[in-house]
mmCIF file of all heavy atoms in Angstrom:
data_model
loop_
_atom_site.group_PDB
_atom_site.id
_atom_site.type_symbol
_atom_site.label_atom_id
_atom_site.label_comp_id
_atom_site.label_asym_id
_atom_site.label_seq_id
_atom_site.Cartn_x
_atom_site.Cartn_y
_atom_site.Cartn_z
ATOM 1 N N PRO O 538 94.154 -81.478 -48.014
ATOM 2 C CA PRO O 538 93.360 -81.720 -49.216
ATOM 3 C C PRO O 538 91.911 -81.195 -49.145
ATOM 4 O O PRO O 538 91.360 -80.821 -50.126
ATOM 5 C CB PRO O 538 93.404 -83.251 -49.356
ATOM 6 C CG PRO O 538 93.772 -83.780 -48.005
ATOM 7 C CD PRO O 538 94.647 -82.754 -47.410
ATOM 8 N N TYR O 665 83.309 -51.950 -30.852
ATOM 9 C CA TYR O 665 83.569 -52.264 -29.408
ATOM 10 C C TYR O 665 85.084 -52.326 -29.128
ATOM 11 O O TYR O 665 85.616 -53.259 -28.557
ATOM 12 C CB TYR O 665 82.888 -53.637 -28.994
ATOM 13 C CG TYR O 665 81.384 -53.553 -29.143
ATOM 14 C CD1 TYR O 665 80.774 -54.045 -30.266
ATOM 15 C CD2 TYR O 665 80.620 -52.997 -28.149
ATOM 16 C CE1 TYR O 665 79.380 -53.977 -30.429
ATOM 17 C CE2 TYR O 665 79.256 -52.893 -28.287
ATOM 18 C CZ TYR O 665 78.633 -53.397 -29.411
ATOM 19 O OH TYR O 665 77.269 -53.332 -29.566
ATOM 20 N N ASP O 906 104.633 -44.521 -21.367
ATOM 21 C CA ASP O 906 104.428 -43.249 -20.660
ATOM 22 C C ASP O 906 104.623 -42.072 -21.509
ATOM 23 O O ASP O 906 104.341 -40.946 -21.151
ATOM 24 C CB ASP O 906 105.333 -43.179 -19.469
ATOM 25 C CG ASP O 906 104.946 -44.153 -18.371
ATOM 26 O OD1 ASP O 906 103.758 -44.375 -18.214
ATOM 27 O OD2 ASP O 906 105.839 -44.665 -17.645
ATOM 28 N N SER O 917 114.074 -32.144 -24.150
ATOM 29 C CA SER O 917 114.585 -33.368 -24.812
ATOM 30 C C SER O 917 114.198 -34.575 -23.955
ATOM 31 O O SER O 917 113.931 -34.476 -22.756
ATOM 32 C CB SER O 917 116.112 -33.308 -24.981
ATOM 33 O OG SER O 917 116.743 -33.146 -23.731
#
Side-chain angles (χ1 to χ4, degrees):
Y665 298 96
D906 289 327
S917 57

